[in-house]
């Protein structure tokens, strides 16, 4: 399989609607994990360990190749403080994708592998005429990471691993209306479209299995600053009144978006051969995301920069999930997660209408003979209803966004195929 | 394997079901009238109540008057029909309005009145061809049902009550906007007080008094000898008139409503759009002037003195089209206001000099005290427009991600005349009324979305 062509073919698919974890983070990296609350740091289930804890890869019994795809379907409702009817999204379905190939000697202590996944992304298209249109009408944020990974079992109880995390593809498309109208009442519109520089970060993990019944893991993924440089970022305007054209001449933009580091701890418990339970905690260093700053090569409404406060706070996600082997072929899974929002009160933006999230997961795997298996998963995420008032926005200096109440639910069915040897 | 496929398709079916039930719904906010009764809302006021904008009264402006926006929100809580004194469809442009034709090379807006040279817009005006004794052109009489919006552009407290001037000036014969609402026989005899006394409101708003200082201020502190209502109204007669008006519209304190006060002239783009410093800088930078660096802006004060303008003087919006123009008999490049030695200082009517400004401010404060006291006397809540616009002038006023301010043209809130609000500005005002109403009357009237109302439309 030609990795590059796969990436290019997949690149338009590799996004997630409304992100399925806090902020614009997406945690849909492993199809088995997706069925059990997203736990995995303290487990050695399959090749997806490269994402969750590269240290656990050496303890994965089989070598193999696996792919997974998820359909993220978000449904939102919004009511503005200054406005009437309920606004919804122009519904879209997007499909985060993952691919893992793990290799190594069958009896050796080394394992190596390559992973392709999409840890950050977002796609939201608001219905025409919604109250927040001067903040945002559409956003598509895509990222594809490629991660070559090695793992080594120091003893039969302790293993370590690390990977190079490569931002192989990143793109952003942001659109909003400009609050100027021509004599016919048409409203201006601006679109920013860019691709990010390639960047390299790392992840690393350690995995310890003191007994058959207990395993512990820890992992860390570094921050990567996704940077769209001016030559890769295009600005285009439409419906700008002729008399104001000199105030809207920008052609290019430059922006940096931090994709924050994550530290994770996990515990795996295996009371019987057939039952595995995982408990994870992720700590995401969102506080690096202070503000979103665009620099333009010409004026946009008279200004050549745009600064918008974000002031995210570090956030924790707690996960609990398990699997039970019903028959020799069939394994069932269930789990849940609670995701504390990194977005403070009065800082909610239309591009990330975030709130604390409760996720419930179900999943199953079926093995066809020795080598081939299918994993299905279903995830339901309920975002807490969240209201911010114009008074809060004014006191925070965040009046570039809209006051009102958001409520979002997300359903994510997914399916994966694996071949082990 | 078939069993598995059946099972998984059943699971997928369940997911589909989950998805159709996934769309969240937020309950519409409850609109409750509280202790108020909006079944017959009547608005009393001047041009700001009538919906006057961009230098004229016309149907689109009337439709976007704050009382009409309010009535639409009231309708969600038991509000009744709201009749507006519209012009006939074929005279929809009423008194006409400024046309925004673009910017000059130096970035000044080109704003043209109906019939002004170069104005490419065609208007459907409502003038009858007759002239009133005040010299103003008569507008076609309104023939519809008794309106709920009783706003009369130009009216002040002093001109509302004939008794205050001993019937000296029959206002129905002077003001074309009151003229068009009164039957011909009543124009010489019925004053505004009598006119509003005929209404039977269940709820009212009253925003009067601005013209008791603003007419004087916008004329650069020059009262017209032919117009008895062009000075600063004295506090005695204002107090008498204001209390009478509130007593009348509240039916002796039995009708609920809101009273609004007088905004400060310094928060209005008509007086802030052309700062003295900017005018002087542009004169000093004018390469066509001999000795431009030594030139400055000179004004004639209300007291008759000629002196250099300072930051304490406010130039009117109209001054920008006068400064630097040819003085009769004196050829360019020596234009109006450029020099103290020539007989061409900027005439007094284009500048509210520091003394005049102080007088206007003092009187505004005095009149607002009367308004505040009267409101408390009748247990009617006060919408402090003065404080509101002070805040907006200082901090701006953002809504739904749009930054608004009191800046001329770019601020969205004021219309092309720099004094009256744009439709969006009127929607903002309606929301601030709602805030006061909801607090006082324990109602929950929802806010309007100002972004649905137009600000300045650019060519």
């Amino acid at each position: 399989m030609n990795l590059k062509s796969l990436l290019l073919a997949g690149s338009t698919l590799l996004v997630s609607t409304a992100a399925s974890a806090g902020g614009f983070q997406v945690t849909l990296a492993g199809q088995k994990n997706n069925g059990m609350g997203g736990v995995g740091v303290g487990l050695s289930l399959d090749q997806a360990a490269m994402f969750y804890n590269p240290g656990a890869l050496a303890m994965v019994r089989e070598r193999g190749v696996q792919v997974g795809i998820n359909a993220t379907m978000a449904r939102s409702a919004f009511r503005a403080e200054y406005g009437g009817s309920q606004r919804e999204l122009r519904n879209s379905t997007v499909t985060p994708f993952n691919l893992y190939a793990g290799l190594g000697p069958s009896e050796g202590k080394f394992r190596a592998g390559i992973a392709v996944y999409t840890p950050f992304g977002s796609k939201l298209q608001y219905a025409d005429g919604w109250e927040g249109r001067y903040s945002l009408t559409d956003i598509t944020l895509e990222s594809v990471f490629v991660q070559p990974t090695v793992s080594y079992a120091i003893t039969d109880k302790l293993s370590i691993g690390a990977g190079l995390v490569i931002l192989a593809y990143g793109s952003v498309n942001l659109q909003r209306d400009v609050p100027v109208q021509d004599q016919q009442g048409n409203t201006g519109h601006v679109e920013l479209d860019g691709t990010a520089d390639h960047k390299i970060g790392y992840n690393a993990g350690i995995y310890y299995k003191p007994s058959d019944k207990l395993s512990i893991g820890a992992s860390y993924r570094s921050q990567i600053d996704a940077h769209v440089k001016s030559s890769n970022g295009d600005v285009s305007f439409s419906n700008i009144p002729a008399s104001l054209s000199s105030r809207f001449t920008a052609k290019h933009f430059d922006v940096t978006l931090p994709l924050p580091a994550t530290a994770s701890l996990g515990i795996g418990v295996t009371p019987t051969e057939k039952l595995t339970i995982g408990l994870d905690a992720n700590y995401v260093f969102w506080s690096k995301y202070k503000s979103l700053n665009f620099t333009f090569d010409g004026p946009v409404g008279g200004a050549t920069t745009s600064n918008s406060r974000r002031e995210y706070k570090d956030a924790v996600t707690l996960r609990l999930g398990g699997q039970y082997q019903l028959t020799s072929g069939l394994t069932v899974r269930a789990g849940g997660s609670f995701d504390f929002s990194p977005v403070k009160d009065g800082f909610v933006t239309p591009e990330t209408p975030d709130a604390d999230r409760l996720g419930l997961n179900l999943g199953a795997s079926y093995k066809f003979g020795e080598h081939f298996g299918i994993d299905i998963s279903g995830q339901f995420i309920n975002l807490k209803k969240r209201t911010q008032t114009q008074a809060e926005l004014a006191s925070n200096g965040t009046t570039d966004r809209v006051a009102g109440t958001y409520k979002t639910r997300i359903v994510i069915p997914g399916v994966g195929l694996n071949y082990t040897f | 394997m078939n069993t598995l496929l059946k099972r998984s398709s059943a699971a997928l079916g369940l997911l589909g079901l989950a998805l159709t039930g996934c769309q969240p719904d937020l309950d519409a906010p409850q609109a409750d009238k509280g202790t108020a009764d909006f079944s017959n809302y009547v608005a009393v006021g001047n041009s700001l109540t009538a919906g006057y904008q961009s230098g004229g009264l016309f149907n689109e402006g009337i439709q976007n008057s704050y009382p009409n926006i309010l009535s639409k929100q009231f309708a969600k809580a038991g509000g009744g029909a709201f009749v507006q004194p519209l012009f006939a469809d074929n005279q929809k442009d009423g008194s006409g309005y400024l046309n925004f034709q673009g910017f000059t090379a130096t970035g000044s807006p080109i704003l043209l009145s109906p019939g002004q040279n170069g104005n490419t817009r065609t208007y459907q005006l409502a003038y009858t061809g007759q002239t009133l004794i005040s010299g103003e052109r008569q507008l076609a009489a309104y023939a519809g049902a008794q309106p709920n919006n009783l706003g009369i552009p130009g009216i002040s407290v002093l001109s509302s009550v004939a008794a205050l001037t001993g019937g000296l000036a029959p206002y129905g014969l002077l003001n074309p906007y009151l003229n068009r609402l009164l039957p011909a026989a009543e124009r010489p005899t019925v004053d505004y007080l009598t006119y509003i006394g005929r209404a039977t409101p269940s709820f009212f708003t009253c925003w009067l008094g601005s013209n008791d200082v603003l007419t004087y201020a916008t004329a650069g502190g020059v009262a017209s000898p032919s117009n008895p209502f062009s000075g600063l109204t004295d506090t005695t007669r204002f107090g008498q008139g204001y209390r009478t008006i509130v007593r009348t519209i509240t039916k002796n304190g039995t009708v609920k409503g809101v009273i609004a006060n007088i905004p400060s002239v310094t928060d209005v783009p008509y007086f802030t759009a052309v700062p003295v410093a900017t005018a002087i800088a542009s004169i000093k930078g004018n390469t066509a002037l001999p000795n431009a660096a030594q030139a400055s802006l000179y004004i004639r004060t209300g007291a008759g003195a000629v002196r250099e303008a300072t930051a304490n003087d406010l130039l009117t919006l109209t001054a920008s089209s006068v400064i630097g123009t040819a003085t009769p008999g004196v050829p360019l490049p020596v234009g109006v206001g450029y020099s103290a030695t020539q007989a061409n200082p900027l005439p007094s009517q284009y500048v509210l000099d520091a003394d005049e400004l102080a007088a206007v401010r003092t009187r505004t404060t005095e009149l607002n005290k009367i308004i505040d006291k009267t409101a408390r006397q009748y247990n009617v809540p006060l919408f402090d427009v003065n404080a509101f616009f002070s805040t907006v002038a200082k901090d701006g006023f953002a809504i739904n991600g749009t930054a608004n301010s009191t800046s001329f043209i770019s601020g969205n809130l004021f219309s092309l005349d720099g004094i009256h609000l744009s439709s969006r500005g009127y929607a903002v005002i309606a929301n601030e009324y709602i805030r006061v109403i909801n607090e006082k009357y324990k109602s929950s009237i929802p806010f309007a979305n100002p972004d649905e109302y137009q600000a300045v439309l650019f060519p």
Side-chain angles (χ1 to χ4, degrees):
Chain A
M1 204 181 303
N2 181 322
L3 186 62
K4 193 174 180 192
S5 66
L6 178 74
L7 283 179
L8 291 173
S11 63
T12 54
L13 305 171
L14 308 179
V15 291
S16 158
T17 299
S20 59
F24 42 87
Q25 198 187 13
V26 183
T27 45
L28 293 166
Q31 235 35 63
K32 290 188 177 68
N33 312 74
N34 292 353
M36 44 200 292
V39 296
V41 178
L43 304 175
S44 55
L45 289 176
D46 62 5
Q47 311 303 326
M50 288 181 235
F51 173 83
Y52 291 94
N53 181 358
L57 181 64
M59 297 292 192
V60 176
R61 264 166 285 184
E62 304 95 349
R63 295 157 293 161
V65 176
Q66 64 189 64
V67 292
I69 190 160
N70 296 280
T72 303
M73 293 173 273
R75 299 292 181 266
S76 271
F78 175 76
R79 275 187 193 275
E81 182 180 346
Y82 291 91
S85 52
Q86 172 168 312
R87 305 293 184 176
E88 296 171 5
L89 297 168
R90 290 167 6 241
N91 293 327
S92 53
T93 301
V94 284
T95 49
F97 178 99
N98 59 73
L99 164 79
Y100 298 91
L103 300 166
S106 57
E107 298 301 324
K109 292 182 163 189
F110 272 107
R111 280 294 160 83
I114 188 150
V116 181
Y117 53 85
T118 62
F120 298 96
S122 183
K123 177 165 186 165
L124 294 167
Q125 299 174 300
Y126 285 92
D128 286 346
W130 88 290
E131 287 79 2
R133 62 188 177 275
Y134 299 118
S135 297
L136 186 79
T137 57
D138 300 86
I139 179 172
T140 307
L141 198 64
E142 301 173 337
S143 67
V144 182
F145 283 70
V146 175
Q147 181 192 318
T149 313
V150 291
S151 183
Y152 178 68
I154 299 167
T155 71
D156 59 358
K157 288 180 175 171
L158 180 68
S159 61
I160 55 171
L164 273 185
V165 175
I166 304 164
L167 174 56
Y169 176 81
S171 74
V172 62
N173 182 286
L174 282 169
Q175 299 182 47
R176 65 176 180 86
D177 283 350
V178 179
V180 294
Q181 286 179 289
D182 65 17
Q183 298 275 334
Q184 284 71 47
N186 300 313
T187 302
H189 191 76
V190 60
E191 176 173 353
L192 307 181
D193 191 84
T195 51
D197 301 347
H198 300 297
K199 280 282 178 73
I200 294 182
Y202 66 91
N203 76 346
I206 184 165
Y207 181 77
Y208 181 56
K209 194 171 168 58
S211 78
D212 281 350
K213 296 197 186 317
L214 182 69
S215 54
I216 303 165
S219 69
Y220 179 81
R221 188 151 41 83
S222 70
Q223 175 175 332
I224 289 183
D225 289 329
H227 175 226
V228 177
K229 61 173 176 258
S230 197
S231 55
N232 290 334
D234 295 330
V235 180
S236 51
F237 298 104
S238 50
N239 283 343
I240 300 294
S243 66
L244 295 177
S245 55
S246 66
R247 294 170 64 82
F248 294 89
T249 63
K251 294 270 186 285
H252 294 103
F253 72 94
D254 178 295
V255 71
T256 300
L257 181 69
L259 306 175
T262 304
S264 301
L265 278 175
I267 299 171
V269 183
T270 314
T272 73
E273 184 86 344
K274 291 180 173 175
L275 178 66
T276 303
I277 295 166
L279 176 67
D280 277 17
N282 311 120
Y283 188 89
V284 186
F285 296 84
W286 278 113
S287 59
K288 295 288 181 193
Y289 193 21
K290 297 285 186 207
S291 70
L292 184 62
N293 304 323
F294 289 93
T295 309
F296 303 104
D297 64 348
V300 174
T304 56
T305 56
S306 140
N307 305 306
S308 181
R309 296 186 77 197
R310 291 297 183 273
E311 307 291 346
Y312 278 26
K313 59 185 179 192
D314 293 345
V316 169
T317 305
L318 300 174
R319 305 174 185 280
L320 175 67
Q323 66 174 20
Y324 187 77
Q325 191 182 354
L326 273 182
T327 69
S328 61
L330 181 66
T331 303
V332 292
R333 302 191 175 86
S337 60
F338 192 83
D339 208 336
F340 294 91
S341 173
V343 182
K344 296 182 201 165
D345 287 343
F347 285 85
V348 178
T349 56
E351 95 257 0
T352 316
D354 205 37
D356 293 344
R357 300 161 185 239
L358 177 67
L360 298 171
N361 309 55
L362 288 173
S365 289
Y366 194 81
K367 274 184 89 73
F368 302 94
E370 274 291 291
H371 297 300
F372 186 65
I374 181 168
D375 305 313
I376 59 169
S377 62
Q379 197 173 152
F380 174 76
I381 299 172
N382 192 37
L383 277 78
K384 209 168 149 187
K385 186 165 89 175
R386 192 160 198 192
T387 300
Q388 60 186 2
T389 63
Q390 190 68 41
E392 284 178 295
L393 298 183
S395 72
N396 289 338
T398 50
T399 52
D400 55 355
R401 58 212 78 178
V402 59
T405 302
Y406 290 95
K407 171 74 190 172
T408 303
R409 295 190 189 121
I410 309 170
V411 173
I412 313 169
V415 64
L417 300 172
N418 62 71
Y419 182 81
T420 53
F421 50 88
Chain B
M1 181 164 175
N2 277 340
T3 330
L4 175 86
L5 284 179
K6 275 178 195 161
R7 279 181 193 158
S8 44
S9 63
L12 285 173
L14 278 174
L15 276 171
L17 268 180
L19 187 65
T20 48
C22 172
Q23 173 63 51
D25 278 305
L26 296 167
D27 291 338
Q30 285 284 316
D32 190 281
K33 65 187 170 70
T35 59
D37 171 7
F38 303 110
S39 60
N40 188 29
Y41 162 48
V42 170
V44 169
N46 51 38
S47 50
L48 295 163
T49 298
Y52 191 99
Q53 59 171 286
S54 292
L57 188 69
F58 51 101
N59 282 358
E60 192 189 329
I62 297 171
Q63 299 286 21
N64 293 307
S65 63
Y66 80 79
N68 201 37
I69 297 169
L70 268 183
S71 76
K72 284 193 256 178
Q73 301 306 111
F74 289 165
K76 296 169 184 171
F82 192 77
V83 178
Q84 298 235 88
L86 293 167
F87 294 98
D89 286 344
N90 61 354
Q91 300 181 330
K92 65 180 174 58
D93 294 323
S95 69
Y97 50 89
L98 293 169
N99 186 26
F100 186 10
Q101 297 235 141
F103 292 96
T104 65
T106 54
S108 299
I110 303 167
L111 303 170
L112 301 175
S113 308
Q116 193 173 347
N117 195 20
N119 190 342
T120 54
R121 188 179 290 278
T122 50
Y123 295 88
Q124 293 180 293
L125 301 176
Y127 292 113
T128 62
Q130 305 293 310
T131 303
L132 302 180
I133 54 173
S134 57
E136 297 214 47
R137 290 182 287 171
Q138 189 182 40
L139 289 162
Y142 167 72
Q146 168 70 25
N148 291 72
N149 187 342
L150 306 182
I152 304 290
I155 203 159
S156 58
V157 168
L158 188 64
S159 53
S160 297
V161 184
L164 296 176
T165 48
L168 165 76
Y171 202 61
L173 295 178
L174 298 175
N175 182 315
Y177 303 100
L178 181 59
N179 184 276
R180 70 182 276 259
L181 294 187
L182 293 175
E186 293 186 350
R187 288 169 188 162
T189 53
V190 172
D191 64 3
Y192 189 59
L193 178 71
T194 311
Y195 180 67
I196 63 173
R198 292 170 178 168
T200 53
S202 66
F203 192 86
F204 75 95
T205 58
C206 176
W207 190 7
L208 272 174
S210 296
N211 287 323
D212 291 273
V213 290
L214 199 66
T215 308
Y216 174 79
T218 52
V222 177
S224 159
S226 65
N227 181 353
F229 309 114
S230 61
L232 290 172
T233 302
D234 59 275
T235 52
T236 309
R237 288 191 296 172
F238 185 90
Q240 289 169 358
Y242 200 81
R243 286 187 289 274
T244 310
I245 288 166
V246 174
R247 184 167 65 243
T248 301
I249 198 64
T250 60
K251 307 285 180 195
N252 290 311
T254 59
V255 178
K256 290 174 170 139
V258 185
I259 281 172
N261 64 8
I262 305 170
S264 168
V265 295
T266 50
D267 298 329
V268 175
Y270 187 82
F271 296 102
T272 57
V274 191
V276 165
T278 309
I280 291 179
S282 110
I283 291 169
K284 288 189 185 296
N286 184 347
T287 49
L289 273 182
N291 280 331
Q294 271 73 53
S296 188
L297 178 66
Y298 293 87
I299 60 166
R300 188 179 300 282
T301 67
V306 173
R307 62 167 170 82
E308 189 176 2
T310 74
N312 297 323
D313 305 314
L314 296 181
L315 302 178
T316 67
L317 194 56
T318 44
S320 57
S321 57
V322 175
I323 294 170
T325 54
T327 314
V330 183
L332 282 174
V334 181
V336 166
Y338 280 4
S339 124
T341 54
Q342 301 286 342
N344 70 344
L346 185 67
S348 176
Q349 69 261 35
Y350 298 111
V351 55
L352 196 62
D353 67 59
D355 294 339
E356 293 166 340
L357 176 59
V360 168
R361 278 183 160 154
T362 305
R363 188 56 49 87
T364 302
T365 306
E366 290 168 347
L367 301 190
N368 276 342
K369 273 185 190 151
I370 294 171
I371 291 173
D372 188 28
K373 194 175 166 193
T374 310
R376 278 185 278 122
Q377 193 181 332
Y378 284 90
N379 192 26
V380 174
L382 178 78
F383 167 24
D384 192 346
V385 191
N386 188 286
F388 177 69
F389 273 113
S390 299
T391 311
V392 177
K394 190 161 69 70
D395 303 329
F397 189 78
I399 276 191
N400 291 347
T402 315
N404 304 294
S405 71
T406 56
S407 298
F408 188 45
I409 298 205
S410 63
N412 298 333
L413 299 179
F414 282 87
S415 69
L416 295 173
D417 59 32
I419 298 175
H420 298 95
L421 300 171
S422 63
S423 299
R424 184 168 305 165
Y426 285 126
V428 166
I429 286 294
N431 282 342
E432 295 308 308
Y433 269 105
I434 288 170
R435 210 182 292 282
V436 175
I437 291 166
N438 284 347
E439 190 184 332
K440 173 72 178 184
Y441 299 112
K442 310 295 173 215
S443 54
S444 52
I445 309 296
F447 291 125
N449 177 7
D451 283 351
E452 284 170 13
Y453 295 86
Q454 288 174 343
V456 170
L457 299 183
F458 290 87

